[in-house]
Amino acid sequence: MGDINIPRSEQDALRSIDSEVLRELLEQCLRDERPSALRELRLDGCGLFISTKRHAFERALDAYGKAKADKKRAETLRDARSAGNTLLDAVQQMQHRMATEAEEGERFYIDDLIRPPHAFSTQLSVRVSYRWRPSPAEPWVHGDITFLYDVDLRPDYTRPPPARKPSAARQAQERQEALYREWEHLKDQALFSVRDYFRDGGTGADIPKTFQVKPNPYTRGLNNFSARFWADRP
């Protein structure tokens, strides 16, 4: 799954859900004290974000159904209703995001399916491909930008050293795991940076082919501004 684009299958599932119908079915679940009424909706196909909220609602509903004492029933009913409202809000939030993506898709699209390399060095890179056009009436222009990042893996001396020095193989594994996490962070920052640039009205003609990201001088890692390739422009 991509990072900034809702997959087509999830869009189809989201599009099939009427918020008012969902609201009514949630109330029915509370009356029935079981979640079976939700089966007629395609919630399972709406992605992890909504699935997580649905499972939370089902757990709260189960607790309500098992409660016996009046006070406990009132508490668990309140919790279940709150979880149901959270699920409804999540669906509406994703539907709004889908509508925003469709509107933005008339002017730009960013390919967020980026595969990691087989092995990592301290010189990381992520290439983001995109297409853009000044208006829907004009042809698409394709481009890409490569974000470069020299990772600083010097040890954090504020932490105590391990009681036993790990083996060379274990050190190599930990190094690759650390670099993978940095690569994932770089990928996210790169994608969000290009998306935010287009959202702010930027044009693909002004995007450089490469950009050396700027780590935080204190943490030596990336922050939310490290990949803003247009930040220093006049």
Side-chain angles (χ1 to χ4, degrees):
M1 189 177 103
D3 294 271
I4 60 174
N5 300 316
I6 302 175
R8 182 60 57 85
S9 61
E10 293 180 15
Q11 291 187 34
D12 293 340
L14 286 165
R15 199 174 289 113
S16 71
I17 296 175
D18 185 299
S19 294
E20 289 308 311
V21 172
L22 174 57
R23 191 190 307 275
E24 294 171 3
L25 291 176
L26 289 169
E27 285 298 321
Q28 182 179 336
C29 288
L30 293 173
R31 292 193 299 271
D32 297 342
E33 300 182 18
R34 58 179 184 270
S36 54
L38 294 179
R39 291 175 184 168
E40 66 180 78
L41 301 180
R42 297 177 57 189
L43 290 172
D44 287 342
C46 292
L48 181 60
F49 178 62
I50 290 176
S51 293
T52 301
K53 306 303 182 186
R54 177 182 180 174
H55 292 154
F57 171 67
E58 291 175 347
R59 289 193 300 271
L61 192 61
D62 182 62
Y64 171 53
K66 292 178 178 177
K68 302 301 181 184
D70 290 344
K71 181 178 180 181
K72 190 66 173 178
R73 293 273 297 169
E75 291 175 352
T76 53
L77 174 59
R78 183 173 61 250
D79 292 342
R81 176 164 278 114
S82 176
N85 290 336
T86 299
L87 172 57
L88 177 62
D89 289 344
V91 170
Q92 293 174 332
Q93 179 180 336
M94 291 301 294
Q95 289 175 333
H96 176 73
R97 176 182 161 187
M98 182 174 65
T100 300
E101 284 187 16
E103 181 180 352
E104 293 174 343
E106 292 295 313
R107 196 170 64 85
F108 68 88
Y109 176 81
I110 300 164
D111 184 359
D112 62 355
L113 297 177
I114 303 174
R115 298 185 180 278
H118 296 295
F120 299 92
S121 72
T122 55
Q123 295 179 316
L124 300 179
S125 66
V126 167
R127 185 168 69 90
V128 177
S129 299
Y130 58 84
R131 65 173 183 259
W132 75 283
R133 55 187 177 183
S135 72
E138 299 182 65
W140 288 108
V141 179
H142 294 262
D144 59 77
I145 174 175
T146 299
F147 293 83
L148 307 174
Y149 175 30
D150 294 330
V151 183
D152 187 345
L153 286 184
R154 285 178 295 174
D156 184 355
Y157 294 106
T158 62
R159 296 182 178 181
R164 174 184 293 181
K165 184 177 180 180
S167 66
R170 180 59 184 166
Q171 290 183 63
Q173 180 182 350
E174 291 177 351
R175 176 183 174 86
Q176 285 295 299
E177 290 171 353
L179 289 170
Y180 174 71
R181 290 192 296 270
E182 290 295 325
W183 184 88
E184 281 282 342
H185 195 184
L186 173 64
K187 181 192 66 170
D188 290 344
Q189 292 302 315
L191 287 168
F192 296 146
S193 176
V194 177
R195 183 197 63 185
D196 292 346
Y197 171 77
F198 279 122
R199 278 184 173 177
D200 291 343
T203 66
D206 293 330
I207 297 180
K209 290 296 292 182
T210 61
F211 179 73
Q212 187 77 39
V213 300
K214 300 174 181 179
N216 184 298
Y218 301 102
T219 65
R220 307 198 308 267
L222 301 178
N223 60 28
N224 292 337
F225 303 98
S226 295
R228 293 173 67 90
F229 53 87
W230 68 97
D232 295 336
R233 294 180 182 176

